[in-house]
């Protein structure tokens, strides 16, 4: 059983938009906290934005005003809407949900922004 599954990545030109989806199992969707992370080649994984206590928190400074996190309870899915994408946003994007003392990671989805 896959508890966390990302989708929606792809290749887009600078200025374009993508919406990433993180579909979770019903069990894991009762998470205590979750986050969208990204890792660019040669760089450490970084937190893009998270949800804790039911509220979006900690948007990365470089994505503020461009990225928006949202949650669809009916679909057990968390979204990351990414607008005005820049080449520096190129990375593998991961979804992580903390539930019952475990951090559940997805396999990642590649986002590539061309200049």
């Amino acid at each position: 059983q896959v508890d966390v599954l990302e989708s929606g990545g792809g290749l887009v030109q600078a200025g374009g938009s993508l919406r990433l989806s993180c579909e979770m199992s019903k069990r894991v969707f009762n998470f205590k906290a979750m986050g969208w992370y990204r890792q660019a080649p040669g760089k450490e994984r970084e937190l893009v934005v998270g949800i804790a206590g039911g509220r979006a928190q900690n948007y990365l400074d470089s994505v503020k005003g461009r990225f928006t996190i949202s949650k669809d309870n009916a679909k057990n899915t968390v979204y990351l809407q990414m607008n005005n994408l820049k080449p520096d946003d190129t990375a593998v994007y991961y979804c992580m949900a903390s539930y019952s003392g475990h951090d559940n990671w997805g396999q990642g989805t590649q986002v590539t922004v061309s200049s």
Side-chain angles (χ1 to χ4, degrees):
Q1 177 184 354
V2 176
D3 285 322
V4 177
L5 182 64
E6 305 97 333
S7 62
L11 173 63
V12 64
Q13 288 187 332
S17 297
L18 285 172
R19 188 179 75 161
L20 305 183
S21 298
C22 175
E23 184 177 358
M24 303 179 193
S25 64
K26 186 175 182 180
R27 176 181 66 90
V28 172
F29 195 67
N30 292 311
F31 55 78
K32 180 178 181 179
M34 68 79 57
W36 279 103
Y37 293 76
R38 68 185 184 186
Q39 187 166 19
K43 295 186 177 181
E44 294 186 354
R45 191 171 297 188
E46 60 183 355
L47 175 65
V48 177
V49 62
I51 292 178
R55 299 176 58 187
Q57 299 184 12
N58 301 328
Y59 278 99
L60 192 65
D61 283 346
S62 61
V63 308
K64 286 180 181 177
R66 299 189 297 121
F67 289 13
T68 304
I69 193 170
S70 62
K71 186 168 171 269
D72 187 333
N73 293 332
K75 296 183 178 180
N76 295 340
T77 300
V78 176
Y79 300 100
L80 183 65
Q81 178 66 43
M82 306 186 297
N83 297 328
N84 190 22
L85 282 160
K86 304 177 180 180
D88 284 348
D89 295 318
T90 294
V92 178
Y93 284 71
Y94 297 90
C95 176
M96 188 281 292
S98 295
Y99 175 77
S100 191
H102 296 283
D103 289 344
N104 301 273
W105 290 89
Q107 85 291 345
T109 185
Q110 176 70 47
V111 171
T112 303
V113 184
S114 62
S115 58

